[in-house]
Amino acid sequence: MKNISELTGFRKLDIAEAGKDFDVFTKIGAEWMLVTAGTEKGFNTMTASWGFAGIMWNKPCVIAAIRPQRYTKRFIDSNELFTLSFYPADFRKELAFCGSNSGRDVDKCEKTGLVPVAVDGSVAFEQAQRILVCRKLYAQQMTESSFIDRTIIDSQYRTGDYHTAYYGEIIAVYEK
Ligand SMILES: Cc1cc2nc3c(=O)[nH]c(=O)nc-3n(C[C@H](O)[C@H](O)[C@H](O)COP(=O)(O)O)c2cc1C
């Protein structure tokens, strides 16, 4: 696996600059992202379209919401870092694949052509347009009793698979 420093396309952004021209409603909600965790020795990735970016504890942060059955979750749990990566529109098919197949059953890189790249101790993919490297700060599984709007329980959690919200400090941003 190459290191991002060996690739010519990426430049490291100042984190304060990184929010400009980055509409999270569009980038996460409409265009989707890959959540990836692990190292060169073993990693997994999955598509996500729910998430946040903002400020918490005076730090630039993201929140990724991961259901317990995702194979990716065990990599997030066992590593200090995870990455969020964003792709050009023509990668929709690859992102759909990573969001409908599990790394337990298939090699997502082999099936999609996504090329893993080592980034600051974590992993993302060479084809990304933007990569956020995130350091886990806080993780909390949602609970049934915490829902104020109870209709969400029926519409989203019929099997009780409440998301864990992972708060990650954005420690580096790379862009093409
Ligand atoms: C557009 C899209 C968005 C998704 N967003 C999320 C999400 O925010 N959180 C989540 O837990 N799963 C989400 N998923 C489902 C996972 O990506 C999917 O279950 C994936 O196959 C898990 O892979 P894994 O088992 O290799 O981790 C999404 C799927 C798609 C297609």
Side-chain angles (χ1 to χ4, degrees):
M1 193 186 297
K2 282 191 182 156
N3 191 284
I4 196 159
S5 59
E6 298 171 60
L7 303 179
T8 49
F10 285 100
R11 69 190 175 100
K12 196 168 183 176
L13 293 189
D14 187 61
I15 292 173
E17 294 281 306
K20 291 177 187 157
D21 302 324
F22 194 75
D23 168 15
V24 290
F25 292 94
T26 304
K27 289 291 168 196
I28 298 176
E31 298 180 4
W32 310 343
M33 61 186 175
L34 289 178
V35 183
T36 309
T39 64
E40 293 189 48
K41 293 195 177 120
F43 65 89
N44 200 62
T45 192
M46 58 167 257
T47 304
S49 61
W50 292 1
F52 296 79
I55 304 297
M56 194 67 198
W57 306 298
N58 293 331
K59 300 174 194 294
C61 285
V62 297
I63 303 173
I66 309 294
R67 292 193 194 255
Q69 63 270 43
R70 310 303 185 222
Y71 187 50
T72 304
K73 185 173 185 296
R74 70 177 61 183
F75 291 86
I76 299 175
D77 286 335
S78 59
N79 285 277
E80 187 192 354
L81 306 177
F82 62 88
T83 66
L84 303 184
S85 51
F86 299 84
Y87 296 81
D90 53 349
F91 277 84
R92 190 78 168 183
K93 193 159 53 71
E94 288 78 359
L95 295 194
F97 184 89
C98 293
S100 53
N101 292 276
S102 178
R104 286 188 195 90
D105 311 315
V106 295
D107 180 337
K108 296 189 192 187
C109 293
E110 189 191 306
K111 294 287 182 193
T112 60
L114 287 166
V115 180
V117 58
V119 190
D120 298 353
S122 192
V123 176
F125 300 94
E126 290 190 10
Q127 292 93 337
Q129 248 170 0
R130 177 176 289 228
I131 299 168
L132 309 184
V133 183
C134 307
R135 182 175 71 90
K136 281 186 302 174
L137 299 177
Y138 180 84
Q140 188 165 44
Q141 186 168 20
M142 296 171 186
T143 59
E144 190 264 337
S145 61
S146 299
F147 279 90
I148 295 160
D149 180 344
R150 312 292 295 173
T151 65
I152 297 173
I153 298 167
D154 278 347
S155 65
Q156 304 295 335
Y157 299 107
R158 290 254 163 140
T159 60
D161 56 346
Y162 294 98
H163 288 89
T164 297
Y166 291 93
Y167 291 61
E169 178 185 5
I170 303 169
I171 56 170
V173 180
Y174 294 88
E175 190 186 63
K176 272 193 190 130

